[in-house]
Amino acid sequence: YRAFTEYMKAFPGYYRIVVFRAGTRRNPINVSRINVIANRIYTAAFIDNGINGEWQMITDNTRVTNQNRAFVRFIQLSYGAPLMDIYIDNRLVLSDLDFQEVSRYLSLAPGNRNLKLKVATTNRVLLEDPNMFLRAGNSYSVYIIGDMNSRMGLQVLIPLEGTSYLSF
């Protein structure tokens, strides 16, 4: 949970992925097949779908980035969370983000940004991160994870995407 592995090279084709509870090799939680297409960068997220979990294959940016701008997208992986609006520096930048939705990339000025997630229908703040730092020339994904009804609540993870440092 909340962990990322390093990007790894894979040959194009279908792969069988088996997920077990940590420390076990019996009774898999999930068995899936994924298709890897050549010359793409993927993030494979194992998410709670309310049943037994599933893989979501997310294609990362592979275009050349602008060295004066930062690129950010939002990926909502919190099962049971309401539709949400995304605000950056108190400006609405994205409306009605739903579970498993991957937004388009937004081009933003680099620097420290204030991120707010609000319930789309009530404007109630779900989460605020006043220190989202973006460097020029990089691409980021903001992963919205967790369970708003649990002790840990909603959380955001903001990793640097591979396109910012991988070469093909």
Side-chain angles (χ1 to χ4, degrees):
Y1 180 68
R2 295 180 48 95
F4 284 86
T5 60
E6 292 182 21
Y7 286 95
M8 61 184 85
K9 290 184 180 183
F11 290 104
Y14 287 91
Y15 290 84
R16 181 175 178 257
I17 308 289
V18 182
V19 179
F20 297 95
R21 293 200 187 285
T24 69
R25 294 279 180 170
R26 292 183 167 195
N27 302 319
I29 296 171
N30 179 278
V31 178
S32 299
R33 293 183 90 63
I34 61 169
N35 184 20
V36 174
I37 298 171
N39 300 315
R40 291 196 183 170
I41 302 172
Y42 293 101
T43 296
F46 190 71
I47 61 172
D48 177 6
N49 62 4
I51 302 168
N52 62 349
E54 69 181 270
W55 286 101
Q56 181 163 344
M57 297 300 290
I58 302 161
T59 305
D60 292 354
N61 177 17
T62 54
R63 69 179 187 273
V64 175
T65 58
N66 180 324
Q67 294 306 307
N68 298 315
R69 305 289 289 174
F71 295 90
V72 179
R73 67 177 173 174
F74 298 86
I75 303 169
Q76 208 287 65
L77 300 180
S78 177
Y79 174 77
L83 289 175
M84 55 185 74
D85 292 341
I86 311 297
Y87 289 78
I88 296 178
D89 297 333
N90 292 316
R91 185 174 61 96
L92 178 66
V93 296
L94 188 65
S95 297
D96 298 329
L97 188 67
D98 201 0
F99 177 59
Q100 292 187 289
E101 187 174 351
V102 178
S103 80
R104 69 191 185 283
Y105 285 91
L106 304 174
S107 173
L108 299 172
N112 200 49
R113 300 281 167 247
N114 181 294
L115 168 66
K116 284 184 188 171
L117 309 178
K118 295 183 179 183
V119 176
T121 56
T122 67
N123 213 26
R124 178 174 62 93
V125 175
L126 294 166
L127 182 139
E128 183 173 6
D129 182 352
N131 296 309
M132 181 174 74
F133 186 75
L134 306 174
R135 290 191 194 283
N138 289 329
S139 293
Y140 301 87
S141 288
V142 177
Y143 291 91
I144 303 161
I145 64 168
D147 180 352
M148 58 187 281
N149 299 313
S150 76
R151 181 177 56 85
M152 294 177 67
L154 285 181
Q155 301 168 21
V156 291
L157 304 173
I158 310 175
L160 183 63
E161 286 190 0
T163 192
S164 300
Y165 56 89
L166 295 175
S167 58
F168 288 92

